[in-house]
Amino acid sequence: MAERALQDLMDDLVSPGQVVAGKYRIDRVLGKGGMGVVVQAWHLHFDEPVAIKLLLPEMGANPEAVARFEREAKAAFKIKSEHVARVIDVGRIDEGPGIPFLVMEYLDGIDVADLLGDGVAQPIFDCVDYILQTCEAVAEAHAHGIVHRDLKPENLFLVRRADGTACIKVLDFGLSKVASDTDKRERALTTQAQVMGTPQYMSPEQWMSARDVGPASDIWALGVLLYELLTGRQPFNKDQIAQLCTMVLNAEAQPIAELRPEVPPGLVAVVEKCLRKKPEERYPSVAHLALALYAFGPRSSKASAKRIAGVLQGAGVSTDAIPPSIVPPAGDEHPFEGTFLMTDLQHQQAAAGLEAALQKANAEANWVSSPGLGSSPGLGGSPSLGGSPSLGGSPGGYQAH
């Protein structure tokens, strides 16, 4: 029934087989959000699948919705990191005030929300790796003056590189804030009274005023994500919004040691610093966070931390006051050599676990295949739009605004 309703919605916007902009042949719907729908299409020139986000017709008359749609395209296009879903094209269906669309790379994988399932804690190795990869995307966004404001498991998509290693893609910059004192139009999109984001991942200051949040709010969300990956639970969660707000503003999360004693105290301390109530008490930048975090991850973590620091330094963002004790050392040595790093067998077991999760999600998604397109609504570039609701935005995944 739900699939039929989605197909009917797509038929109201575009039709299967229709060619958009002379090069994108529409195939099928992937998912729907509060402001739009995402469809799968085939790039006729490059012979590969793409995902197209279409703004719903009723939203096309809303200047704020259109502005957010355009903002997402601009923000994602500026960020060249491999950890952000690439924007390929933008345009409108039909000339004049037609339906705006955004063309993105088609992702084959699973979102982190599905990976977590019903409270499944992840291997420590993977938790650190996924957050550091997310930090790479966030660092480049911050270097461009962009604050994401809606980091959550549904917006982290896990794919495989050509060599089989895991790669996190950050999705949905539709709620992002562009730092500009002179751009009144951008600031007008978020009024003082608006609360925007996903409640369980919003920082205390974001609850108070979405307009004035800065990079520290993304660092809070990264801490929430790391806590959830490590424990399988959200640090702040109540059924009532008012209770959740009170908890975020005033209460401390349950200690990680009570939920998962084997998590190293140093890693617990990293999470706790991210979740300080006052923004100025958190890490000054994602570079500081990455440099505190990398010691608990795989060997690739050191290079990731260096890239993050380099991106911010190259953009003129201060990374001063980084304690020398956490600067990645020269050479290949690792602070936890022989004690914390996973063995080859553990690496294989972790990879096998991820592969099993992908196969399980694939089997449950009821694949609908087309020649050369293949991939299920839950895997192949899936919007995964059934995630936790966002205030002022749409649910997770590819986020069909």
Side-chain angles (χ1 to χ4, degrees), residues 10 12 53 65 69 101 136 270 272 295 334 337 376:
M10 187 180 81
D12 291 338
K53 181 183 291 187
F69 194 85
F101 68 85
E136 289 199 47
V270 172
E272 291 175 345
H334 192 286
E337 185 67 57
S376 71

Side-chain angles (χ1 to χ4, degrees), residues 184-263:
K184 295 180 180 179
R185 181 169 176 269
E186 284 286 355
R187 292 180 64 81
L189 292 177
T190 310
T191 64
Q192 182 73 28
Q194 284 181 313
V195 178
M196 300 178 63
T198 301
Q200 291 84 353
Y201 302 89
M202 286 166 46
S203 65
E205 65 271 21
Q206 195 169 356
W207 279 98
M208 303 302 291
S209 171
R211 185 185 69 187
D212 298 320
V213 299
S217 197
D218 282 347
I219 290 173
W220 168 280
L222 288 165
V224 175
L225 286 165
L226 184 52
Y227 184 107
E228 187 173 3
L229 285 166
L230 288 168
T231 67
R233 302 184 186 183
Q234 296 167 334
F236 307 101
N237 196 359
K238 292 288 185 180
D239 292 335
Q240 300 296 322
I241 290 294
Q243 293 176 336
L244 178 58
C245 179
T246 299
M247 187 179 189
V248 170
L249 293 177
N250 302 305
E252 299 298 329
Q254 183 176 358
I256 292 176
E258 295 180 4
L259 301 172
R260 193 173 181 183
E262 71 269 24
V263 177

Side-chain angles (χ1 to χ4, degrees), residues 30 171 194 252 351 365 379:
L30 291 174
L171 310 177
Q194 284 181 313
E252 299 298 329
L379 293 178

Side-chain angles (χ1 to χ4, degrees), residues 1-72:
M1 183 68 69
E3 184 175 341
R4 180 67 259 170
L6 285 174
Q7 190 63 51
D8 290 343
L9 173 62
M10 187 180 81
D11 292 343
D12 291 338
L13 296 170
V14 289
S15 303
Q18 177 181 345
V19 177
V20 174
K23 51 189 172 183
Y24 307 113
R25 188 185 67 229
I26 303 299
D27 179 44
R28 64 190 177 92
V29 67
L30 291 174
K32 177 184 178 295
M35 297 175 65
V37 62
V38 178
V39 300
Q40 178 179 304
W42 189 256
H43 198 306
L44 297 176
H45 295 171
F46 296 152
D47 288 331
E48 65 176 18
V50 294
I52 301 180
K53 181 183 291 187
L54 301 156
L55 193 64
L56 292 174
E58 58 266 32
M59 291 296 172
N62 184 331
E64 183 174 337
V66 173
R68 286 193 185 134
F69 194 85
E70 293 173 347
R71 178 172 57 190
E72 177 180 8

